[in-house]
């Protein structure tokens, strides 16, 4: 795989999360509680890792270069809201009547957040003087370190 720049990497993560949410919606009526738990855990881990590398690596560098603190602050609030919902999901059993509802709302919130990143933040990032390949490599490194911590397969650089 060619090494991705920062935006390509983050957008690939976004597509992966969307695919997992779609998959959950498609199978939730028929799937066993165990199967649903597996998908839920996968999407929640992927999102936690994604938000972590954005907050620790991407956002701070972007904030310095684009003159839009409001946008960056709103993004942080949206992450906090998603993390709170992920925490609530982690405390539920998959046969809990609220499980599907929380996954669905998390998916909707993430879709909206992703749209804002891709339509407002990323275009500003592309215009700013940032070394997106270097940041992409930093993101990949952080992502792989955290994937291991979450027991997921690392992705090749
Ligand atoms: Fe984000
Ligand atoms: Fe993102």
């Amino acid at each position: 795989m060619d090494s991705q720049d920062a935006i390509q990497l983050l957008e690939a993560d976004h597509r992966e999360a969307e695919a997992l949410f779609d998959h959950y919606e498609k199978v939730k009526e028929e799937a066993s509680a165990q199967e649903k738990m597996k998908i839920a855990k996968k999407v929640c881990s992927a999102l936690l890792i994604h938000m972590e590398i954005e907050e620790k690596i991407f956002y701070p560098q972007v904030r310095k270069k684009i003159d839009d603190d409001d946008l960056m602050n709103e993004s942080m609030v949206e992450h906090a809201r998603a993390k709170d919902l992920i925490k609530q999901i982690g405390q539920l059993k998959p046969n809990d009547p609220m499980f599907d509802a929380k996954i669905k709302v998390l998916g909707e919130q993430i879709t909206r957040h992703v749209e804002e990143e891709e339509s407002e933040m990323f275009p500003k990032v592309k215009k700013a003087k940032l070394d997106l390949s270097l940041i992409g490599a930093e993101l990949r490194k952080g992502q792989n370190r955290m994937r291991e911590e979450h027991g997921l397969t690392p992705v090749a650089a």
Side-chain angles (χ1 to χ4, degrees):
M1 189 168 72
D2 291 330
S3 50
Q4 296 167 311
D5 76 20
I7 288 182
Q8 289 166 337
L9 181 144
L10 295 173
E11 288 186 344
D13 270 4
H14 293 165
R15 301 293 85 78
E16 187 199 1
E18 283 163 5
L20 286 166
F21 280 118
D22 284 351
H23 181 55
Y24 188 90
E25 284 306 309
K26 225 178 277 166
V27 303
K28 69 177 181 190
E29 305 298 340
E30 279 84 37
S32 65
Q34 202 185 7
E35 176 69 20
K36 284 164 66 165
M37 196 55 157
K38 211 174 118 189
I39 309 167
K41 267 192 179 156
K42 201 170 168 189
V43 73
C44 290
S45 292
L47 288 173
L48 288 173
I49 294 169
H50 179 80
M51 291 190 284
E52 183 90 359
I53 59 172
E54 281 186 339
E55 287 178 23
K56 295 255 166 78
I57 300 164
F58 187 70
Y59 286 3
Q61 303 193 53
V62 169
R63 191 186 279 271
K64 271 190 251 161
K65 292 283 179 178
I66 70 168
D67 185 24
D68 199 339
D69 277 339
D70 286 348
L71 181 66
M72 301 314 293
N73 294 344
E74 284 160 25
S75 245
M76 292 296 284
V77 175
E78 286 162 10
H79 279 195
R81 205 169 56 158
K83 283 186 219 171
D84 182 55
L85 206 39
I86 289 171
K87 204 166 151 199
Q88 292 177 37
I89 292 166
Q91 286 158 353
L92 294 180
K93 296 206 166 65
N95 54 3
D96 189 290
M98 293 303 281
F99 199 85
D100 287 350
K102 285 182 194 272
I103 296 279
K104 183 152 186 193
V105 171
L106 177 65
E108 287 167 354
Q109 288 182 0
I110 291 295
T111 301
R112 213 167 322 128
H113 174 67
V114 157
E115 268 167 23
E116 279 172 14
E117 285 184 340
E118 294 187 9
S119 69
E120 290 182 48
M121 189 191 296
F122 293 177
K124 290 187 180 193
V125 170
K126 282 178 192 163
K127 279 190 218 147
K129 281 190 184 127
L130 282 158
D131 187 342
L132 291 177
S133 3
L134 184 68
I135 302 172
E138 290 170 10
L139 290 170
R140 175 69 76 206
K141 224 169 119 191
Q143 190 184 46
N144 278 336
R145 198 180 53 238
M146 277 178 264
R147 271 178 198 258
E148 258 177 67
E149 285 168 18
H150 285 254
L152 301 169
T153 328
V155 178

